[in-house]
Amino acid sequence: MDAFVNVEDLCVSFGDLAVVRDVSFSIRRGETYGIVGESGSGKSTILRAMLGLHHAWTGRMTVDSQPLGKRRDRSSYRKMQMVFQDPYSSLHPRKTVDSLLSEALAIHDIPDRFERVATALRSVGLDPAFRYRFPHQLSGGQRQRVAIARALIIEPEIVLLDEPTSALDVAVQAEILNLLQDMRAARNLTYLLVSHDLGVVTHMCDRVAVMRNGVFEEEVDCTQTFAPAKSYGQQLLALSEGRPATEASAAMLGPQSCPSDQKP
């Protein structure tokens, strides 16, 4: 299958500091591709360069064979959206949920905004009455559901996931990861997921790149089992196996359900 997303020789710098060096990978349509590594290894920087939030990069990036430049138009943003790590800071505190979701529709001139907001909230397990609440009136899990709804309401094909559960407690992590899996299957979405949690990445992803100090050390197929060939990946695996499986990974079973606290 041809690559839907292709990144070649990506380098990202902040001044004289090279944060990402000669990174290359490809993602098939409908696949979940993961990047795992320690904090500060450059994982999130790759996502921000792909989304156009960092301009100091070199290399080549394409989506569906179309090049991604350093400046993006609205059509590229409609094709690719991002869910950020911290649901407490990614939502404007003075805007209602309705305003946050409607704003994305307005930017892209998408009609029927009232109905679309209600549908988007239902799709992430929230009652439409949540549209009248402010972020401070929501739990962490509810905020991340709103963030996912905001990313998906304009119907992108690619979603960049920047540690989407790391700010949540383990029980809520499982709910959000299950939701993301359900949305991927229902909409044939393509995901790029970065995390330092090996259990989450290997459970969610088809293939995983192991990243260290700004470079990819290796790529591992996760369709059967995560079996890195190089020492750093083996160290990550040993650390992961040296402690009990996270409750989030263990709880990722069965279809997505709407917990009782999602009702207003």
Side-chain angles (χ1 to χ4, degrees):
M1 186 183 297
D2 294 335
F4 182 44
V5 178
N6 196 54
V7 175
E8 298 177 6
D9 301 321
L10 177 65
C11 298
V12 186
S13 299
F14 298 137
D16 295 330
L17 178 63
V19 179
V20 175
R21 292 172 285 136
D22 299 318
V23 163
S24 298
F25 62 95
S26 61
I27 310 174
R28 296 182 289 267
R29 188 185 292 272
E31 183 180 26
T32 298
Y33 189 91
I35 304 175
V36 67
E38 299 170 286
S39 296
S41 59
K43 307 183 303 298
S44 297
T45 301
I46 293 173
L47 299 191
R48 291 175 177 272
M50 292 181 65
L51 197 63
L53 299 179
H54 287 326
H55 301 144
W57 60 268
T58 60
R60 175 176 169 80
M61 296 188 284
T62 62
V63 171
D64 204 10
S65 300
Q66 298 301 309
L68 291 177
K70 294 185 180 181
R71 303 290 179 179
R72 310 292 168 77
D73 56 21
R74 285 191 299 175
S75 63
S76 69
Y77 285 114
R78 184 161 185 182
K79 186 180 287 286
M80 181 165 53
Q81 286 286 296
M82 185 164 171
V83 177
F84 293 90
Q85 176 178 2
D86 187 0
Y88 296 92
S89 61
S90 65
L91 304 178
H92 196 296
R94 296 186 179 181
K95 292 186 176 183
T96 64
V97 169
D98 182 80
S99 178
L100 290 165
L101 300 186
S102 297
E103 183 177 41
L105 297 172
I107 289 171
H108 294 276
D109 297 320
I110 300 174
D112 304 320
R113 295 169 194 167
F114 187 89
E115 293 79 7
R116 286 178 182 270
V117 169
T119 299
L121 289 173
R122 290 191 189 98
S123 73
V124 296
L126 293 174
D127 190 281
F130 274 86
R131 69 191 306 154
Y132 304 112
R133 295 191 180 184
F134 290 89
H136 73 270
Q137 296 174 309
L138 307 176
S139 68
Q142 290 166 352
R143 291 186 195 191
Q144 197 64 307
R145 288 172 186 268
V146 170
I148 293 168
R150 180 178 60 179
L152 297 183
I153 197 169
I154 61 172
E155 300 179 351
E157 298 178 65
I158 304 158
V159 181
L160 310 179
L161 301 167
D162 186 9
E163 305 258 17
T165 60
S166 64
L168 307 174
D169 66 52
V170 289
V172 178
Q173 284 180 30
E175 296 170 4
I176 296 301
L177 292 171
N178 278 331
L179 171 63
L180 289 169
Q181 287 190 312
D182 290 347
M183 299 298 275
R184 172 198 172 192
R187 304 187 183 202
N188 193 33
L189 295 168
T190 301
Y191 285 163
L192 175 56
L193 167 68
V194 306
S195 179
H196 65 273
D197 188 326
L198 186 59
V200 168
V201 171
T202 56
H203 187 98
M204 290 281 289
C205 299
D206 303 293
R207 291 179 295 139
V208 173
V210 178
M211 190 171 191
R212 184 183 191 188
N213 296 330
V215 300
F216 278 8
E217 295 222 332
E218 64 177 314
E219 183 181 277
V220 184
D221 189 317
C222 293
T223 53
Q224 299 297 324
T225 184
F226 182 75
K230 296 188 177 181
S231 60
Y232 180 65
Q234 291 170 354
Q235 290 171 22
L236 292 178
L237 181 60
L239 288 171
S240 176
E241 292 178 338
R243 56 179 180 267
T246 64
E247 293 178 46
S249 299
M252 290 170 61
L253 301 171
Q256 172 67 22
S257 61
C258 178
S260 59
D261 77 335
Q262 307 312 319
K263 300 176 182 178

